[in-house]
Amino acid sequence: MTIPEPNSATMTPLRIAVTGSHGMVGSALVEALKGSGYEVIRVVRSPPGSGSADIYWNPSDAEIDGQAFNGLDGVVNLAGENINQRWTSTAKQRIRRSRVDGTELLAGALAALDSPPRVLVNASAVGFYGDRGDEHLTEGSGVGSGFLATVVRDWEKATAPAARAGIRVVMTRSGVVLSEQGGALKKMLPAFRMGVGGTMGSGEQWMSWVSLADEVAGIRFALESTDLRGPVNLTSPQPVTNAEFTRTLGRVLDRPAFFRVPRVALEIAFGQMAEETILASQHAVSDRLVQAGFEFRYPQLEQALQAAL
């Protein structure tokens, strides 16, 4: 087995496969990589037609065209069931399997290749840390408790076969990605634009966030930075409380934002999902990315929201 060397002219990957390429982050990443001259190959769940460069996989049935990854420069794995739903027992199974089982399938296929990609950038999340109050969370902080923390821990562990095979593996622990096109911000906007937006629960919980532009740039940095490996917090260096987020979003939209949704109402409406996402406090910062030389384009929330909107 050989790990391909970086391109001598650019020192950056050229041929990149992407799972989850039609999601909010995936779509933006594919567009950015193609705009920079990369050849991007989508990893899709339907058998590609004749002449297509797409790679087939079906994690639900443990099917993957592993040999199609041979000789590629890198892989970005963004696939995963949306966690913004009520966590029934069935939903929990889907959330876990889409991340853990899919990553195990992919990492195992890459590890078995004669010429595997030299880097795997695997999506992860600050949900790894659980609800930690005001604690300052870096990549060295331990795993938290709860369903989501356990899933993210096992999601990251599922990359182990690739790492053992000599592939450089980076796990990007993303915060709330800010985009008008999807994610948490898109769900918030209708209420805020009508002037009935407000804080969630006490508003004291910390929100670790990142602009979509920096999310994409951070993933590309992980692809290209040959020394970076392991978990990396992909979050703005300036996390905010939910109350501060609320005030800033209202100011950017020029709308009042003085309402408050009580904790009990969120727990009734969304159950455990609310407890471990909306109401959970995570003050995570991107120490390793910054130390490696990454510069955030939008380190401050107000400028990030202005750009997103």
Side-chain angles (χ1 to χ4, degrees):
M1 180 190 304
T2 59
I3 304 296
E5 292 299 319
N7 180 277
S8 59
T10 64
M11 294 299 290
T12 61
L14 294 177
R15 301 180 66 231
I16 306 297
V18 180
T19 76
S21 63
H22 294 289
M24 179 185 71
V25 174
S27 297
L29 177 66
V30 168
E31 181 181 355
L33 291 180
K34 285 184 174 180
S36 297
Y38 286 66
E39 179 185 346
V40 180
I41 299 132
R42 297 179 187 268
V43 183
V44 297
R45 295 174 183 268
S46 299
S50 177
S52 172
D54 293 348
I55 298 173
Y56 172 69
W57 80 329
N58 184 351
S60 299
D61 295 330
E63 296 176 345
I64 189 169
D65 182 6
Q67 287 301 313
F69 294 89
N70 219 27
L72 296 182
D73 294 293
V75 177
V76 180
N77 180 25
L78 302 175
E81 172 87 5
N82 192 335
I83 66 170
N84 293 319
Q85 57 180 300
R86 193 171 183 88
W87 291 351
T88 64
S89 58
T90 302
K92 283 183 174 181
Q93 290 178 356
R94 291 197 308 268
I95 289 168
R96 179 178 176 83
R97 288 174 179 170
S98 67
R99 286 164 172 76
V100 180
D101 294 359
T103 300
E104 285 179 345
L105 178 66
L106 177 62
L110 299 182
L113 297 174
D114 293 328
S115 297
R118 56 188 173 84
V119 56
L120 167 63
V121 178
N122 204 79
S124 184
V126 294
F128 174 90
Y129 302 111
D131 186 359
R132 303 288 277 270
D134 294 331
E135 183 180 352
H136 185 88
L137 301 169
T138 70
E139 292 85 356
S141 302
V143 64
S145 60
F147 167 72
L148 188 58
T150 301
V151 168
V152 177
R153 178 200 65 193
D154 294 346
W155 190 12
E156 293 187 355
K157 285 184 176 180
T159 64
R164 287 195 296 266
I167 299 169
R168 182 172 63 86
V169 176
V170 183
M171 290 88 78
T172 52
R173 292 176 181 168
S174 298
V176 177
V177 181
L178 302 182
S179 171
E180 192 175 21
Q181 306 305 314
L185 181 59
K186 182 180 180 180
K187 293 181 181 297
M188 296 177 190
L189 285 175
F192 275 83
R193 282 177 167 150
M194 289 188 294
V196 294
T199 56
M200 299 292 172
S202 70
E204 296 175 357
Q205 68 272 30
W206 286 95
M207 293 178 62
S208 296
W209 60 273
V210 63
S211 70
L212 179 58
D214 283 327
E215 173 81 2
V216 169
I219 293 171
R220 179 173 173 179
F221 186 87
L223 283 170
E224 298 176 354
S225 182
T226 56
D227 293 330
L228 197 62
R229 65 182 67 239
V232 172
N233 287 344
L234 186 42
T235 60
S236 161
Q238 299 182 32
V240 298
T241 63
N242 179 262
E244 184 176 351
F245 186 97
T246 297
R247 289 192 297 269
T248 305
L249 181 55
R251 185 166 61 249
V252 169
L253 293 172
D254 194 22
R255 293 289 188 275
F258 51 80
F259 287 90
R260 183 185 298 275
V261 182
R263 180 185 185 96
V264 65
L266 292 167
E267 291 173 338
I268 291 171
F270 302 110
Q272 187 179 1
M273 188 275 281
E275 296 172 6
E276 296 193 22
T277 59
I278 302 170
L279 297 168
S281 182
Q282 291 144 354
H283 189 284
V285 291
S286 51
D287 281 3
R288 295 194 64 212
L289 265 183
V290 172
Q291 290 168 5
F294 181 74
E295 296 183 4
F296 283 85
R297 184 175 180 183
Y298 300 109
Q300 298 179 345
L301 178 61
E302 185 158 350
Q303 63 178 179
L305 287 172
Q306 288 170 344
L309 301 175

